[in-house]
Amino acid sequence: MHDIRLIRDNPEGFDAALAKRGLAPLSSQILEIDALRRAKITAAETALADRNAASKQVGAAKAQGLEDEFERLRALVADKKAEIGILEDEAKDEDERLQDMLAEIPNLPADDVPEGADENDNVEINRWGTPRDIADALEHFDIPAVKGGMDFETAAKISGSRFVLMSGAVARVNRALAQFMLDIHTLENGLTEVNTPVMVRDEAMYGTDKLPKFGEDSYRTEEGMWLIPTSEVPLTYIAAGHVMEESYLPRRYTAHSLCFRSEAGSAGRDTSGMLRQHQFEKVEMVSVTLPEDSDAEQKRMLRCAEDILERLEIPYRTVVLCTGDMGFGARRTFDIEAWLPGQNAYREISSVSTTGDFQARRMNARFKRAGEKKPEFVHTLNGSGLAVGRCLIAVLENGQQADGSVDLPTALHPWLGGKTRITADGQLA
RNA sequence: GGAGAGGUGGCAGAGUGGUCGAAUGCGGCGGUCUUGAAAACCGUUGAGGUGAGAGCCUCCCAGGGUUCGAAUCCCUGUCUCUCCGCCA
């Protein structure tokens, strides 16, 4: 959500920032509605002030027994009442029109975000590890050690396409990965573990900018609840409506949750394997910070995510998304792409974004500086740390051996009860 | 699912038709005292809109209604809590 004041003060700057996202200028249209809105507000308030004044006199007239005067003023107040009703409705309509319009405008990119049209213009800023030379590398679902424990046919029977049924060693490694990530984040990175609801209300989706524009990407129950597309939604919405003490910040959360996405519009993409599912697991990180701290916090979060991959010995590269590839609510986004030998490509495994005060405005999350009167909006950030399913793919594909088995990363062994590999026939050993 | 109670400022919690944007406490801020801190005491302290400003307007969960006048009465919605039932 944008600050109408900033648009008023600097419409050219606003349009210029929109242009970086490839959007047409909107400021003149916004300011037109805003001017109309303010005119209606002024008119309504003037009428209200008149009514309030007359209303006070009514009481006085009554008290003094001036019946004629009382009746006259009473009629006047009644007239004003009708007028006020109309003016207030008009003011409200204009205000809603403005809010609706602002709600659909994406966040403005930070100054340092590279300009570009699409993912081809993203800029690599870090590369770690060297992909191992694997002859005839297989995709995860074709690796002999994995095949028996990753069943797409049965999942389809139960739930349709884009679901998976994991069992045995594969399910165990998947679980170990999630535990591993959570333990690192809580014990070493100082994040607070949270277990959130995965069904949320409209307000939480709106506050984290998933609504009104992207409702079709998520699932909604018949009762009107949303299945979360990411635990960014409940984690961030914790702060909604609060005025926090300055000293309360930063807040750093992590959660392991199921995530649900309809994947509308991605038909035919990544259809094989478990890269893109309707239901998946993710360990999420969310930070709520002071405005001046959010840029440093984003780098910190990025390091937390990259560190997981380094410990798991998975080669990756980090890119900063260009203006044309960023999500709706982001001011700046870093994507981490893990090396997948089976695809001979780097694929997204984490996305770390700062939204500035964009979400905070929508959910009215504020803090008060010591000694200051006015509350200010906090900054909110979110990042995957990491997508568990995709991390499982990376671990399996990078660990595949010529004999069909999979060597599991050393760092993970303690979470596997000391086991180190999956044999070609699918046993943890 | 049934019955009941309630939603008030950063927090807790008074207030049941005008004198209430709202007692009191906590917390915050400023001060007195102190070598410093604590304690004590004094003062101060809600949010939003609009306006160049003085100011004006709105806000006691939300939306309707009654009334000259609503935090206060009525209706609807919503959320929370308690009890009963059911239940992993």
Side-chain angles (χ1 to χ4, degrees), chain A residues 235-272:
Chain A
L235 285 177
T236 309
Y237 206 69
I238 291 170
H242 284 303
V243 179
M244 294 162 248
E245 301 281 344
E246 180 180 6
S247 60
Y248 184 76
L249 299 172
R251 290 282 113 178
R252 298 187 171 115
Y253 304 114
T254 184
H256 167 221
S257 84
L258 288 171
C259 304
F260 305 90
R261 296 188 186 176
S262 68
E263 293 299 342
S266 62
R269 288 178 57 198
D270 304 318
T271 48
S272 54

Side-chain angles (χ1 to χ4, degrees), chain A residues 144-160:
Chain A
V146 176
K147 268 192 157 174
M150 197 176 279
D151 184 348
F152 296 96
E153 286 72 26
T154 304
K157 177 180 76 178
I158 300 168
S159 303

Side-chain angles (χ1 to χ4, degrees), chain A residues 58-97:
Chain A
V58 170
K62 178 95 176 171
Q64 293 171 33
L66 304 171
E67 278 306 316
D68 290 352
E69 183 66 357
F70 174 72
E71 287 304 331
R72 189 185 71 78
L73 288 167
R74 200 173 138 161
L76 182 69
V77 169
D79 282 355
K80 282 286 173 194
K81 194 174 177 179
E83 186 188 338
I84 289 164
I86 293 166
L87 289 170
E88 281 189 328
D89 282 350
E90 287 176 353
K92 205 166 150 187
D93 287 349
E94 293 305 326
D95 192 55
E96 272 172 22
R97 207 148 75 90

Side-chain angles (χ1 to χ4, degrees), chain A residues 158-169:
Chain A
I158 300 168
S159 303
S161 66
R162 291 202 192 281
F163 287 92
V164 66
L165 187 78
M166 287 185 280
S167 60

Side-chain angles (χ1 to χ4, degrees), chain A residues 195-209:
Chain A
N195 195 306
T196 74
V198 297
M199 295 168 71
V200 301
R201 314 154 167 280
D202 289 342
E203 291 90 324
M205 291 287 279
Y206 180 88
T208 47
D209 61 62

Side-chain angles (χ1 to χ4, degrees), chain A residues 318-335:
Chain A
T318 305
V319 300
V320 55
L321 298 192
C322 73
T323 51
D325 199 30
M326 281 200 306
F328 181 80
R331 236 177 92 66
R332 184 192 304 106
T333 298
F334 299 116
D335 270 11

